[in-house]
Amino acid sequence: MNVLIVGSGGREHALAWKISQSTRVKDVFVAPGNAGTALDAVNVDLDLDDYAAMVRYAKSNGVGLTVVGPEVPLANGIVDVFEAEGLKIFGPAKPAAQLEASKVFCKEILNAGNIPTADYWSFRDADSAIEMINDRFPGDSPNTACPVVVKADGLAAGKGVTVCSKKQEVLEAIELTARDKVFGDAGAEFIIEEKLEGQEASILAITDGQTIIPLPACQDHKPAYDGDTGPNTGGMGAYCPAPLVTEEDMAWVEEHVLVPTVHALKANGTPFKGVLYAGLMKGPQGIKVLEYNVRFGDPECQPLLMRLKSDLVDVLEAVADGDLARIDPLEWDTRPTCCVVMASEGYPGSYEKGRVIHGLDEASRVENVKVFHAGTALDPSGVSVNAGGRVLGVTAIGDDLKAAQNSAYEAVKCIQWQGSWYRTDIADKAL
Ligand code: AMP
Ligand code: GLY
């Protein structure tokens, strides 16, 4: 059969690379894809908002399975449209995708399942939020300690979350969200929650709403610069497995987080299938859920799929069929993987596009390395140029994490474009 992958980032390149290795798959189409997916698959220029056009494409091109990468089409109901047309598609239906698209919905499900998460309050206007803050954190100084996180309810391309320490920061975040409406409708409702201390890990699980297959834990690096400093990004690198998450933790998360979440979603009338991605904080208070995503993480997908030995198409198709129980236990390469993201000058703020990327061939010759493309495009002469903030996810596998990290950075050093940069400490926390 043919497979259609929806999206254009590093995650989608990793999916295309892995899916094209399946003996059951003839052609892999990526809509719209990037310069990297053009090498490993076939890019198709489809409008990601036009689900009817995508359905037509799937029907007339022998697409037996569609795999959705990003959250926006999921939240907007692409799965519902494909299924109504009798097409197989991997991802949650629109009502279940609210788990990521609405922080309030997510908190309600977490509470319904009695799942450990930060305490929170939800608001629709600035005044009541400020009143709550003044009640709980009395003191007129802008420097009054106020360890909370302000989160716009809706999707805000990863920008709707402000982690605060001082009262001044909290009041500014409330102002921006509720009065200046910088996140638009996404901030019409917002939550304020207690700030949790500790280290973060991502545990992704594949589920059809009955059977749950947890994947090995990963650790992302959200802050832009070394030492976890600077502004928040979509993720500057990830490695797998993350030793922070022990075997006992994994079993605990399955029992106390994943299973009750799947049950709570079902009981709510919003059964979930697809990738359930738990963003977790492990600290003095144990493990708590920071957030849920309803898709593969980017960049977590890259180091994860590089370790997966089983045929991914069998697994994704079983989910679409609602019969994940038929799948044998997944086989994983025991060797760890490390993905270093290379970014455009200015990211996560604005950046120039169209700069020629040098050294891709040299990097791809480094042993045990795969260069996944994210924000890249082919210019008219067929040369790869940057076209997004996160440009490449240079991913390596090694006998141990140090070896994987070394290979990834060896390949990174082959690559350069005007203004290119990367964090130099991806995976250091585990070494
Ligand atoms: P989210 O979009 O909810 O994952 O938030 C983005 C990032 O903000 C997370 O990856 C964390 O680094 C941070 N964050 C979110 N919620 C909290 C919290 N309650 N305490 C501490 N940090 C948080
Ligand atoms: N790497 C974080 C995310 O995919 O949301």
Side-chain angles (χ1 to χ4, degrees), residues 11 220 222 234-235 277 291 293 295-300:
R11 163 184 51 213
D220 189 11
K222 289 248 179 88
Y277 164 149
E291 61 156 354
N293 296 321
R295 49 173 174 83
F296 283 105
D298 189 342
E300 289 94 328

Side-chain angles (χ1 to χ4, degrees), residues 103 118 149 151 161 163 193-196 200 222 232 281 290-291:
K103 305 262 187 211
V149 183
K151 300 183 173 185
V161 174
V163 181
E193 66 177 32
E194 61 167 330
K195 181 173 163 184
L196 301 174
E200 284 178 59
K222 289 248 179 88
N232 205 41
M281 184 74 92
L290 288 178
E291 61 156 354

Side-chain angles (χ1 to χ4, degrees), residues 9 37 61 124 127 158 171 179 190 192 200 220 246 284 301 329 332 356 363 365 372 387 407:
T37 58
N61 288 279
R124 289 185 174 278
D127 289 341
L171 298 178
R179 283 207 240 271
F190 60 101
I192 299 185
E200 284 178 59
D220 189 11
T246 62
C301 187
W332 297 93
V356 174
R365 284 194 292 270
F372 292 116
S407 298

Side-chain angles (χ1 to χ4, degrees), residues 60-112:
S60 51
N61 288 279
V63 170
L65 178 69
T66 298
V67 180
V68 187
E71 61 276 16
V72 171
L74 294 169
N76 289 340
I78 189 173
V79 168
D80 313 60
V81 172
F82 269 62
E83 287 184 340
E85 294 285 339
L87 293 167
K88 277 190 205 179
I89 183 162
F90 177 81
K94 179 174 179 167
Q98 300 313 302
L99 191 65
E100 175 167 358
S102 164
K103 305 262 187 211
V104 174
F105 179 87
C106 178
K107 283 293 195 183
E108 286 167 359
I109 292 293
L110 289 168
N111 284 349

Side-chain angles (χ1 to χ4, degrees), residues 119-405:
D119 288 337
Y120 79 106
W121 302 263
S122 64
F123 302 97
R124 289 185 174 278
D125 66 280
D127 289 341
S128 9
I130 294 167
E131 195 184 315
M132 185 282 284
I133 288 294
N134 283 330
D135 271 0
R136 291 190 61 98
F137 303 94
D140 291 332
S141 160
N143 290 326
T144 302
C146 198
V148 301
V149 183
V150 182
K151 300 183 173 185
D153 176 60
L155 293 178
K159 297 195 171 74
V161 174
T162 317
V163 181
C164 310
S165 308
K166 300 173 186 168
K167 202 159 175 177
Q168 173 88 13
E169 296 164 341
V170 182
L171 298 178
E172 274 168 18
I174 295 171
E175 205 64 29
L176 286 173
T177 309
R179 283 207 240 271
D180 301 346
K181 311 250 181 251
V182 291
F183 308 117
D185 283 349
E189 196 166 4
F190 60 101
I191 67 175
I192 299 185
E193 66 177 32
E194 61 167 330
K195 181 173 163 184
L196 301 174
E197 301 297 336
Q199 269 213 65
E200 284 178 59
S202 311
I203 296 188
L204 283 66
I206 294 185
T207 181
D208 62 354
Q210 310 272 351
T211 303
I212 302 172
I213 304 183
L215 311 183
C218 303
Q219 191 170 51
D220 189 11
H221 297 66
K222 289 248 179 88
Y225 310 132
D226 284 8
D228 283 341
T229 55
N232 205 41
T233 70
M236 294 301 297
Y239 61 94
C240 176
L244 170 71
V245 180
T246 62
E247 250 174 67
E248 294 80 65
D249 290 338
M250 210 59 204
W252 188 91
V253 167
E254 187 167 354
E255 184 183 341
H256 296 279
V257 175
L258 300 175
V259 170
T261 300
V262 168
H263 282 162
L265 283 161
K266 195 173 177 181
N268 187 55
T270 51
F272 188 94
K273 63 186 172 59
V275 175
L276 190 59
Y277 164 149
L280 303 170
M281 184 74 92
K282 181 179 176 182
Q285 70 297 76
I287 294 178
K288 291 192 177 186
V289 176
L290 288 178
E291 61 156 354
Y292 267 118
N293 296 321
V294 300
R295 49 173 174 83
F296 283 105
D298 189 342
E300 289 94 328
C301 187
Q302 292 84 314
L304 260 175
L305 292 189
M306 196 178 236
R307 293 188 58 217
L308 180 65
K309 288 175 148 180
S310 310
D311 188 328
L312 182 63
V313 174
D314 290 343
V315 181
L316 303 184
E317 189 183 32
V319 171
D321 290 340
D323 185 21
L324 191 56
R326 74 178 184 230
I327 294 296
D328 290 333
L330 298 185
E331 278 186 64
W332 297 93
D333 198 315
T334 53
R335 293 173 299 164
T337 47
C338 177
C339 169
V340 178
V341 169
M342 299 185 71
S344 297
E345 183 176 15
Y347 176 77
S350 58
Y351 46 82
E352 296 276 323
K353 299 180 182 178
R355 294 178 171 169
V356 174
I357 304 170
H358 303 280
L360 286 168
D361 287 342
E362 198 187 339
S364 66
R365 284 194 292 270
V366 177
E367 220 182 326
N368 296 323
V369 166
K370 173 71 187 173
V371 179
F372 292 116
H373 287 229
T376 67
L378 292 171
D379 78 0
S381 60
V383 169
S384 292
V385 298
N386 78 322
R390 292 188 295 167
V391 178
L392 301 168
V394 181
T395 310
I397 193 161
D399 287 335
D400 55 29
L401 186 58
K402 188 72 203 162
Q405 186 197 47

